[in-house]
Amino acid sequence: MADSITTEQRLVGGPRPDLDLTQAEWQSSTQGVGDVQVAFVEGYIAMRNRRDPEIPAVIFSPAEWRAFVLDAREGAFDLT
């Protein structure tokens, strides 16, 4: 699986491994709002829709996740 992916590829958004998410520990918002869940698996971050977990998860490298979170905090994804 992720064993063939180097640390550098993982940090800069190289090719995605075929992660086994069947045993992932999915986490929801601590506030209990929203439908997004995340799991930290083999150095990557997986994000899925809690209401429809059969849809494939979006996989982020650590660098991509950091950029996503920082942009979200700054309101980059606000629809209002």
Side-chain angles (χ1 to χ4, degrees):
M1 281 185 214
D3 295 334
S4 63
I5 305 297
T6 68
T7 300
E8 182 178 344
Q9 288 172 323
R10 186 171 54 242
L11 293 176
V12 299
R16 300 289 184 269
D18 185 16
L19 297 176
D20 179 6
L21 301 176
T22 58
Q23 300 298 318
E25 293 184 29
W26 293 97
Q27 302 173 31
S28 297
S29 168
T30 58
Q31 298 175 355
V33 296
D35 294 329
V36 174
Q37 291 182 310
V38 296
F40 300 91
V41 180
E42 298 183 38
Y44 289 88
I45 300 88
M47 183 171 68
R48 72 177 184 183
N49 183 333
R50 177 184 58 87
R51 292 187 186 202
D52 202 353
E54 296 80 30
I55 295 175
V58 177
I59 307 298
F60 293 91
S61 71
E64 292 168 330
W65 181 251
R66 178 174 169 71
F68 172 77
V69 170
L70 291 174
D71 285 348
R73 286 180 184 164
E74 293 177 3
F77 308 113
D78 291 349
L79 299 176
T80 58

